[in-house]
Amino acid sequence: MSAVQGKPIDLHYWPTPNGWKITIMLEEAGLPYNVIPVNIGKGDQFKPEFLAISPNNRMPAIVDPDGPDGKPISVFESGAILQYLGRKTGKFYPKDERARVAVDEWLFWQMGGFGPMLGQTHHFRIYAPEKVPYAIDRYTNEANRLYGVLNRRLEGRDYICDDYSIADMACIGWARGWERQGQDIVQFPNVGRWIDTMLARPAVERGLKVAEELRNPAGISTPEEKAILFGQKAR
């Protein structure tokens, strides 16, 4: 794939940890992009035009007009988008197979564990209408375990896979919310150092600020928003 980007990439986005993965990558790679807001609290993710490119009714998703062979391509799922953009640009996703396997391992660790488990921690600690001690303990403890895994990995390393990569981009939006997850970052000094290193990168700072004015400081607060986000069934 060519790294030359003639037309901006359309980014279907909302300012959340999963959305920030992609804005950070786009900013780091210097790719032009248009932000198309997907208000997940109002149900934009269920609109037919969005489902056509993201059948799991989750943002982020992209449409790249300069895809393979110069033809447009849509990509959904944040990990797949990061890999696609890494291959496209040749940046932050190594070509050496051994190094790429390491990045893939930690990217999938985030996609399968660090993100979902921290998301459940947020849910039961902050959003659940009934405070269920078992659930709060279950997910807070699992978050603690995962921070321990990351802390061990970062021992003696500036970044998760030595060189800065999409694995770091995938994790930072979640990790910087450690306090909301009931964690004490002092317990994980390597993670704390890495968070500071990440937040000092100008492109990370820019990526985290994209459309920040759309984010409700109160979070998911209304019954309508909670019904949309937490009451989904098959459609």
Side-chain angles (χ1 to χ4, degrees), residues 217-228:
I220 302 161
S221 57
T222 69
E224 291 79 14
E225 289 176 328
K226 291 179 179 179
I228 289 171

Side-chain angles (χ1 to χ4, degrees), residues 209-223:
K209 289 183 177 179
V210 171
E212 65 179 353
E213 71 279 0
L214 299 177
R215 190 176 175 90
N216 184 352
I220 302 161
S221 57
T222 69

Side-chain angles (χ1 to χ4, degrees), residues 48-60:
E49 59 268 30
F50 181 68
L51 288 173
I53 62 171
S54 184
N56 192 37
N57 58 264
R58 294 288 191 273
M59 70 86 218

Side-chain angles (χ1 to χ4, degrees), residues 26-203:
L26 291 168
E27 290 289 338
E28 289 281 14
L31 290 172
Y33 63 99
N34 297 317
V35 172
I36 301 173
V38 180
N39 190 329
I40 58 177
K42 292 185 177 179
D44 288 353
Q45 65 271 37
F46 299 110
K47 292 181 177 179
E49 59 268 30
F50 181 68
L51 288 173
I53 62 171
S54 184
N56 192 37
N57 58 264
R58 294 288 191 273
M59 70 86 218
I62 65 168
V63 177
D64 181 4
D66 292 333
D69 303 320
K71 298 177 182 178
I73 188 172
S74 62
V75 189
F76 76 103
E77 289 296 320
S78 57
I81 298 169
L82 288 173
Q83 290 177 320
Y84 170 79
L85 294 174
R87 292 192 301 269
K88 178 185 178 75
T89 62
K91 296 179 179 180
F92 313 114
Y93 192 39
K95 294 181 180 179
D96 172 76
E97 183 63 14
R98 191 172 296 275
R100 179 169 287 191
V101 165
V103 171
D104 285 343
E105 286 177 327
W106 287 95
L107 176 64
F108 279 79
W109 175 82
Q110 188 283 319
M111 296 291 296
F114 198 60
M117 294 300 102
L118 270 52
Q120 292 296 331
T121 307
H122 287 169
H123 179 80
F124 286 105
R125 290 180 63 89
I126 300 170
Y127 298 119
E130 179 184 354
K131 300 303 179 186
V132 182
Y134 175 84
I136 292 171
D137 289 346
R138 164 75 179 90
Y139 288 107
T140 302
N141 290 342
E142 177 63 4
N144 186 269
R145 186 191 73 81
L146 290 165
Y147 273 95
V149 172
L150 185 58
N151 194 66
R152 289 192 300 274
R153 176 63 181 179
L154 287 166
E155 180 71 37
R157 290 182 170 89
D158 291 334
Y159 297 106
I160 294 172
C161 296
D162 295 312
D163 293 330
Y164 182 53
S165 74
I166 58 174
D168 299 285
M169 300 176 199
C171 291
I172 185 57
W174 289 102
R176 71 172 188 152
W178 55 268
E179 191 169 8
R180 283 161 52 92
Q181 299 147 16
Q183 306 304 313
D184 179 3
I185 203 64
V186 174
Q187 184 182 354
F188 309 108
N190 299 321
V191 177
R193 170 189 51 77
W194 167 81
I195 290 173
D196 290 342
T197 298
M198 289 292 293
L199 296 181
R201 295 183 67 94

